[in-house]
Amino acid sequence: MYEIFTTEETYRKSLEVLDKQFINDNLFSCYLDEFPGGPESILCNIAEIMAVSDRLLEELRILYDGQVTVDSITSILRKFADDHFPAFVTYCANTANQQDILSKHKAEDPDFEKFLTDREVCLHGQNLNSYLILPMQRICRMPLLLDAINKKTEPDSPDKAPLTSLYEDICEIVERCNEGVRRAETRKKMENLDRR
């Protein structure tokens, strides 16, 4: 159960790097303003994703300062699965578009490419793409973390059914994320065929 907290904390620290090194960088913002669709074409709803992570991490910190039970973890994650995790579907559906726009802009603007290369050096080889993919990786990891807890929960435990239901619902959110990516990729392929 502790792994949910530690991985969320690590994930949030990585989002802070994205925020500091890119999102809140004035030069980066100027480059994004030049993109068709502006910053949202790349960042989509990343601010919402970061806010979700902040709230989840805060609730997990409070929980881990007190009594951690399967029921308490399930309750917190249930609320986030119902109210906040669908934001990941929107974000993930934009990843194919995001990558295309970044690639195109890097090819067309050597200054932008140099900016990204310089940042990559500062970030010890981590590039913008490695930070932009974090939300998708995080939501996809959540079922694995829940499955590990589920396997350790006794079959006759009153926590088993709510935990299993939560696991299934988060798997459904992940499937919706993956479906959004597939649809965006298919749409891009169709657009490329139309251009030929």
Side-chain angles (χ1 to χ4, degrees), residues 112-122:
F112 180 63
E113 184 170 21
K114 182 178 181 338
F115 169 83
L116 292 178
T117 302
D118 291 347
R119 280 298 148 94
E120 189 174 330
V121 170
C122 292

Side-chain angles (χ1 to χ4, degrees), residues 8-163:
E8 188 66 29
E9 199 168 48
T10 301
Y11 165 66
R12 186 61 187 106
K13 286 178 184 174
S14 295
L15 289 179
E16 287 170 8
V17 172
L18 173 64
D19 191 43
K20 181 180 176 185
Q21 295 295 324
F22 295 102
I23 296 170
N24 284 316
D25 181 271
N26 289 334
L27 185 56
F28 184 70
S29 294
C30 288
Y31 285 122
L32 290 187
D33 287 339
E34 297 173 8
F35 283 27
E40 291 77 24
S41 64
I42 299 300
L43 301 176
C44 192
N45 64 333
I46 192 72
E48 181 182 7
I49 298 289
M50 292 168 77
V52 167
S53 179
D54 286 343
R55 287 191 298 273
L56 177 57
L57 189 56
E58 182 58 33
E59 291 205 26
L60 290 173
R61 278 189 182 126
I62 292 167
L63 176 65
Y64 280 97
D65 287 342
Q67 180 73 21
V68 180
T69 63
V70 171
D71 179 57
S72 59
I73 289 281
T74 302
S75 293
I76 288 172
L77 292 178
R78 165 56 61 202
K79 179 174 66 171
F80 278 83
D82 292 345
D83 299 339
H84 305 293
F85 286 173
F88 285 87
V89 176
T90 302
Y91 185 85
C92 293
N94 189 55
T95 56
N97 186 48
Q98 178 186 77
Q99 297 307 313
D100 284 349
I101 291 171
L102 277 175
S103 295
K104 182 180 178 191
H105 206 68
K106 284 185 343 188
E108 293 174 354
D109 186 346
D111 291 336
F112 180 63
E113 184 170 21
K114 182 178 181 338
F115 169 83
L116 292 178
T117 302
D118 291 347
R119 280 298 148 94
E120 189 174 330
V121 170
C122 292
L123 297 171
H124 310 289
Q126 296 292 316
N127 62 28
L128 176 60
N129 291 341
S130 66
Y131 289 99
L132 291 174
I133 198 70
L134 289 171
M136 185 159 187
Q137 291 172 336
R138 181 60 182 163
I139 197 66
C140 289
R141 186 163 188 199
M142 196 61 74
L144 301 173
L145 296 169
L146 288 172
D147 190 44
I149 296 171
N150 203 12
K151 286 178 180 174
K152 293 178 183 176
T153 303
E154 294 295 325
D156 58 345
S157 168
D159 298 328
K160 190 73 169 183
L163 180 60

